[in-house]
Amino acid sequence: AAISAERFLAQPSAEAAAPFRQAILEASEALGSLGQSLADRGLSGNDELNDRMNSYADAFEVLFAATEQLGFTPVTGLRGAMQSAVDKVEKLTLDVENAELRASMLTLRKHEKDFMLWQQAATLDAFQSELPNFKAHLKKTYPPGPQRMKVTEALDMYVIAFRLFAEGSLKVVEARQSLTIAGADVEQGLQSLVASINDALTKAQVESETVRAANQE
């Protein structure tokens, strides 16, 4: 399950989620088959480990949903919507003679890509700070009329799409962290249960040796 989770993180897709879900199912079934045997020997930790595995599975589903909403590919989800919006703005302003407007557009794209790379709030603030400059240059470039309205509407869609994309990206970052913590909790619970089983085996071996030694006297 842990390996499948890492593969999903590296290349998220609906298909990549299936091996994780299957591994968790098989692990749960295997743990369940041990339940009565462990209980008969007075060993604890089975139920706790099962709860941790369920939390791990839940954390993965949260990550899957957040990643799917963000977009598995550059042209799907919030990522695709943002790219479509910015493409429209760039297309509408591609041939303008105002170099300051083009430079401002490049600055917005730079902040956008910086956020995609680092997921830092500072880049969001920088993006918002550049917007008034772009709008000011936009008014200088286009007189009131249909063309200015088209660019303004496209810009508004880009701003909204970028905000939603940023929020979605931060959700994915948080979900990844939660999955890592949940996976570590499962590993810790598994190690604890294995230690209990090993202690029980050692105790049983000592008792067996004691009984055999007594019978040989």
Side-chain angles (χ1 to χ4, degrees):
I3 291 172
S4 297
E6 289 298 326
R7 288 175 177 168
F8 177 83
L9 290 173
Q11 292 184 315
S13 68
E15 294 75 16
F20 175 89
R21 292 167 177 155
Q22 182 62 32
I24 285 291
L25 177 62
E26 292 175 0
S28 296
E29 291 176 348
L31 184 62
S33 67
L34 291 173
Q36 189 58 51
S37 178
L38 295 173
D40 291 344
R41 289 161 177 76
L43 298 175
S44 61
N46 184 67
D47 291 340
E48 181 182 354
L49 179 56
N50 186 65
D51 289 342
R52 294 188 185 202
M53 288 172 59
N54 288 336
S55 295
Y56 189 31
D58 290 343
F60 181 83
E61 294 305 328
V62 170
L63 172 64
F64 178 85
T67 307
E68 184 178 40
Q69 183 182 44
L70 189 64
F72 288 135
T73 71
V75 297
T76 60
L78 295 173
R79 185 183 309 172
M82 184 190 68
Q83 188 60 53
S84 177
V86 72
D87 285 348
K88 188 172 184 179
V89 177
E90 289 188 323
K91 183 178 180 179
L92 288 170
T93 59
L94 182 63
D95 297 326
V96 297
E97 296 181 358
N98 190 332
E100 292 178 322
L101 180 65
R102 295 198 301 271
S104 184
M105 187 70 227
L106 289 174
T107 300
L108 288 174
R109 293 307 310 274
K110 176 184 180 300
H111 296 321
E112 170 204 321
K113 294 186 182 303
D114 283 347
F115 177 81
M116 294 176 69
L117 184 61
W118 306 110
Q119 281 87 44
Q120 293 179 343
T123 57
L124 296 180
D125 295 338
F127 181 91
Q128 290 295 328
S129 296
E130 183 59 29
L131 282 175
N133 294 332
F134 185 88
K135 291 178 179 180
H137 296 312
L138 181 63
K139 290 181 178 180
K140 292 179 181 179
T141 304
Y142 298 102
Q147 189 61 22
R148 182 197 284 186
M149 288 181 62
K150 285 182 181 180
V151 179
T152 300
E153 290 174 357
L155 176 65
D156 290 341
M157 289 301 299
Y158 172 40
V159 172
I160 292 172
F162 179 62
R163 177 177 59 81
L164 293 175
F165 172 80
E167 292 173 355
S169 296
L170 294 176
K171 286 181 181 179
V172 169
V173 170
E174 183 179 351
R176 281 172 170 253
Q177 293 172 343
S178 296
L179 182 68
T180 298
I181 293 172
D185 285 344
V186 170
E187 182 64 26
Q188 185 180 43
L190 180 59
Q191 291 177 357
S192 178
L193 182 59
V194 169
S196 296
I197 294 173
N198 287 337
D199 288 344
L201 286 172
T202 300
K203 182 179 179 181
Q205 289 173 351
V206 170
E207 291 175 350
S208 177
E209 290 294 334
T210 301
V211 170
R212 187 176 64 178
N215 290 335
Q216 290 177 348
E217 292 179 356

